[in-house]
Amino acid sequence: MGPLWIYDLMLKRGQLIGSTIRGRTHAEKAALAQDIAPTMVPLPARGLVRVAVDSTFPPDRYRDAYDRLAEAGKLGKVILTCE
């Protein structure tokens, strides 16, 4: 497995199709999580997948984190740390 080069995909007029599970029942979401966990969970630890993080906040700054969520220009997750 390697990186996905969007430019190469565009040159070949390829498609990248995503999906959300928002409309699924809790049971369907749980079953999906169990199915993909053995494959997907190890990937970040092996450096094969990276999660984009915009910013992190300690729990006592939850209001700042919420304000950051409301702002434009985020690229990545806004995370409350649990240290």
Side-chain angles (χ1 to χ4, degrees):
M1 190 178 330
L4 172 64
W5 300 104
I6 299 297
Y7 183 74
D8 293 340
L9 184 67
M10 290 170 53
L11 285 176
K12 295 180 184 207
R13 297 185 185 268
Q15 294 181 352
L16 179 62
I17 300 172
S19 178
T20 81
I21 60 171
R22 185 171 285 144
R24 306 284 182 164
T25 67
H26 182 71
E28 289 173 313
K29 291 176 187 179
L32 179 60
Q34 279 188 323
D35 287 347
I36 67 168
T39 303
M40 299 304 291
V41 170
L43 296 180
R46 292 173 43 206
L48 298 174
V49 174
R50 286 179 283 155
V51 177
V53 176
D54 176 83
S55 50
T56 61
F57 297 89
D60 62 334
R61 291 188 49 213
Y62 70 91
R63 286 189 179 112
D64 294 333
Y66 190 80
D67 290 343
R68 181 64 185 132
L69 284 173
E71 293 175 5
K74 290 177 299 306
L75 180 60
K77 304 292 184 187
V78 175
I79 298 173
L80 286 177
T81 58
C82 298
E83 295 178 26

